[in-house]
Amino acid sequence: MKNNSHTVVITGASAGVGRATARAFAREGARIALLARGRDRLESAKREVEALGGNALVLPLDVADAAAVEAAATQTEQQFGPIDVWVNNAMTSVVSPVKETTAEEFKRVTEVTYLGYVNGTLAALRRMLPRNRGVIIQVGSALDDVYLHDLDLSHCAHSPFNNSLRFA
């Protein structure tokens, strides 16, 4: 185990790429805030992180809720110190032909997959820019640059948003 004093926030940390990312940072001894909706899976991820040498904070929330994301950033810094790395990984999707997809489903995919990404980035920037340090990792998909399905539009918004960060 390495002694890593980095504080890391990971959205979508309860499963898949987010959980694997948490394990990778844990092996380096990082302090990791685990963000996702499901407390049980977050608690399980926390046990994995701690078994691998990291320290974890479980923060169940919906990344579509900007105030909740901001509160999680504040709580992370209160408990672990300044955030060094923010990983935006949370996403959701609906696999359905457009004619069978409801407006509410489109809205939810956009709120989580695009606005969740924006909410995390803004919370991170509010802390990193004044310190002039920090890294934001935007976990995307091949869908970010290629339109393959009607609900992939939220992924397509990632690239223009990331480009706008050059002017932050």
Side-chain angles (χ1 to χ4, degrees):
M1 176 184 81
K2 297 181 181 178
N3 184 9
N4 181 337
S5 60
H6 287 115
T7 296
V8 180
V9 176
I10 303 171
T11 71
S14 64
V17 171
R19 193 156 173 168
T21 302
R23 287 191 301 265
F25 277 109
R27 286 184 194 97
E28 299 297 318
R31 297 179 305 262
I32 308 164
L34 304 168
L35 282 59
R37 288 181 299 151
R39 179 175 289 280
D40 290 344
R41 292 194 319 181
L42 285 172
E43 291 291 347
S44 176
K46 177 182 179 175
R47 288 189 295 276
E48 289 177 5
V49 164
E50 291 174 346
L52 292 167
N55 192 355
L57 173 63
V58 168
L59 297 168
L61 59 79
D62 184 342
V63 294
D65 181 344
V69 173
E70 181 62 29
T74 297
Q75 188 173 349
T76 298
E77 290 202 327
Q78 287 171 346
Q79 183 155 339
F80 287 157
I83 296 167
D84 299 296
V85 180
W86 188 289
V87 181
N88 283 313
N89 172 68
M91 66 147 304
T92 191
S93 63
V94 175
V95 179
S96 177
V98 70
K99 67 183 180 182
E100 297 172 17
T101 305
T102 67
E104 194 57 36
E105 288 170 324
F106 275 107
K107 180 180 178 196
R108 183 67 184 150
V109 168
T110 302
E111 287 173 342
V112 173
T113 306
Y114 176 64
L115 292 178
Y117 202 88
V118 171
N119 294 338
T121 299
L122 294 177
L125 286 175
R126 279 191 275 282
R127 287 149 179 84
M128 293 174 178
L129 287 175
R131 294 191 290 261
N132 197 31
R133 70 179 176 86
V135 174
I136 301 171
I137 299 171
Q138 311 286 35
V139 177
S141 163
L143 305 177
D144 288 355
D145 295 315
V146 180
Y147 177 76
L148 298 173
H149 183 272
D150 300 312
L151 290 182
D152 295 340
L153 293 172
S154 62
H155 284 282
C156 296
H158 287 171
S159 292
F161 175 70
N162 287 336
N163 289 334
S164 75
L165 295 175
R166 291 181 291 178
F167 305 105

